[in-house]
Structure formats: structure tokens, C-alpha cells
Amino acid sequence: MSVEGGVEPVWSKSGRTLFYRGPTHVMAAEIGGAPARVIGREQLFADAFSRSGLYSDQWWDVFSDGQRFLMMQRFGGQAPSAISILVNWQQAASQERGGGERE
């Protein structure tokens, strides 16, 4: 699919677009036809984020709208050694603003 190489492929929710990480940019390839083939290819944005460098690993994801991306930022040129995940963040934010119930 990519003449310059690509890693970490992610399908769109519709299954018509394959997002992947090229050497310098995040790319989107529109897939269609029978048999399936690449109809178009587009550079989305410069990729300066952490990456696994492997085809099978995925260090990023695409939101279901196909317009927003979740990626890990590099710190000091190195991949992060740990990641923190905050669950129920919307509830916590609501309580911070005084909009939620308090115990």
C-alpha cells in the first residue's frame, strides 16, 4: 500500500480508510473497489510522536469520527517509560467544576 513504507495501521470505523504511519507523516489511504485497492492517499500531518517502529504494534489510535487521533508525545527524544491512565475523568472534571454530586 505504501511505496515509502508504513507501520502501525489502523482501520477507520467505516472500514473504507486505512490510517498508517509513514516515515515522516500520518497517512490516510482510501480503500475501495472489488478486489479492494487503494483509491487515494493523503498526508494528514507531520508525525513527531512516539512510535513502536513495528508493523504489528500500535502506539496510537483514531477516534471513531476519523478526524481526531490519540498519540503519545515524545519527551526528550525518548519513548515514555510509563503511562498514566485516568478513568472516569469526565466525572472528576464535573465534580471539580461543581457540577457533580459530592459525597
Side-chain angles (χ1 to χ4, degrees), residues 13-80:
K13 184 177 179 180
S14 70
R16 293 188 293 261
T17 303
L18 182 64
F19 299 97
Y20 63 96
R21 302 176 79 171
T24 60
H25 287 78
V26 172
M27 306 290 293
E30 185 180 351
I31 310 297
R37 61 185 173 85
V38 176
I39 296 172
R41 199 175 287 118
E42 177 184 7
Q43 277 187 353
L44 300 180
F45 54 89
D47 186 358
F49 300 92
S50 294
R51 60 173 57 208
S52 72
L54 303 174
Y55 184 82
S56 60
D57 287 349
Q58 179 181 321
W59 284 22
W60 69 300
D61 208 350
V62 180
F63 282 76
S64 60
D65 64 7
Q67 302 296 310
R68 297 175 294 150
F69 302 82
L70 175 67
M71 306 180 97
M72 291 193 296
Q73 186 172 0
R74 290 182 187 154
F75 293 99
Q78 298 177 358

Side-chain angles (χ1 to χ4, degrees), residues 31 40 79 83 94:
I31 310 297
I83 185 170
S94 177

